[in-house]
Amino acid sequence: MRFVGVLLLSLSTLAITTHLSAKAESAGHHQHRGRHQAPIAARATAAGHSLRSHNCFNDPSSQDCVDGTSFYSNTQIEADLQLLCTAKSWMVGCTIRTACNNGQASGDYCHPWALAASLCSDADDNADMAGCDNYRSLCMVGTTVVSQCSNHKALPNQLSTAQVTEDVLDLCRVMPDMTMCSQCTSDTNPATTCPS
């Protein structure tokens, strides 16, 4: 795992575990969502983009769009997430997803819709990411009625990928002798400059 990814995983796992443990204790009415928590095997495909022919991707305010799972399934979301995390594995949302899939975190924020929210709301890193097109069309518009957009939110107070990356680089500037710091020098593309 990349150096930045290791630090992201530590930060994200701590935040997720703390937040989800508290939420699990107080949210018994959410138990029916447990079936969504297991990782879904998905391949990086462009399959999600063919979905955009459905009317709800153009007008998510229609009452026909309330149940998003009828036209954007968890498996299709996972394909989009895989596309995103293959392209930018160092993103905070991808680190959260890895923690969920590895059993290091569980709960509502590991739901595919919540992971899409975490990735696609990362304001510093979601530009030009095709894997977010479907989610943004459905959920990041003020007129949406898609229930999953409000029922499955991103992890609260999630740090942006750009901020975490800059914090890692700041740490390395202060303590350049730390293992791998000499190789992690880019704040624009950590994947190309940090060791595996």
Side-chain angles (χ1 to χ4, degrees):
M1 180 177 285
R2 303 184 191 286
F3 178 54
V4 172
V6 171
L7 292 179
L8 287 174
L9 183 58
S10 298
L11 290 169
S12 299
T13 301
L14 177 63
I16 298 167
T17 303
T18 302
H19 195 85
L20 299 184
S21 295
K23 188 169 179 69
E25 292 174 4
S26 64
H29 63 285
H30 288 157
Q31 290 177 354
H32 65 283
R33 295 180 188 167
R35 65 183 182 275
H36 299 300
Q37 294 172 6
I40 298 173
R43 295 171 303 203
T45 69
H49 304 299
S50 64
L51 302 172
R52 295 178 64 78
S53 60
H54 193 285
N55 289 338
C56 290
F57 290 96
N58 298 314
D59 180 18
S61 66
S62 168
Q63 288 305 305
D64 294 335
C65 305
V66 172
D67 180 11
T69 61
S70 64
F71 50 86
Y72 192 33
S73 71
N74 289 342
T75 300
Q76 291 164 328
I77 295 173
E78 282 288 347
D80 279 346
L81 295 177
Q82 184 65 28
L83 188 68
L84 287 166
C85 291
T86 297
K88 293 191 172 185
S89 61
W90 63 88
M91 289 186 66
V92 170
C94 293
T95 303
I96 295 172
R97 179 173 178 254
T98 297
C100 292
N101 287 344
N102 288 345
Q104 295 170 294
S106 63
D108 289 346
Y109 297 107
C110 286
H111 190 285
W113 285 82
L115 291 172
S118 289
L119 275 161
C120 298
S121 63
D122 193 341
D124 297 304
D125 243 312
N126 72 358
D128 301 321
M129 294 199 305
C132 278
D133 287 348
N134 292 319
Y135 181 84
R136 283 194 295 234
S137 295
L138 295 174
C139 296
M140 299 181 78
V141 290
T143 57
T144 186
V145 299
V146 179
S147 62
Q148 285 76 16
C149 298
S150 56
N151 291 341
H152 302 290
K153 298 284 192 179
L155 186 70
N157 303 314
Q158 175 182 308
L159 295 172
S160 72
T161 298
Q163 182 60 58
V164 174
T165 303
E166 184 57 35
D167 288 346
V168 170
L169 294 172
D170 284 345
L171 181 64
C172 287
R173 291 182 191 109
V174 174
M175 293 183 283
D177 294 333
M178 286 180 61
T179 302
M180 296 183 287
C181 274
S182 63
Q183 298 172 16
C184 286
T185 57
S186 171
D187 60 357
T188 57
N189 189 4
T192 64
T193 59
C194 297
S196 298

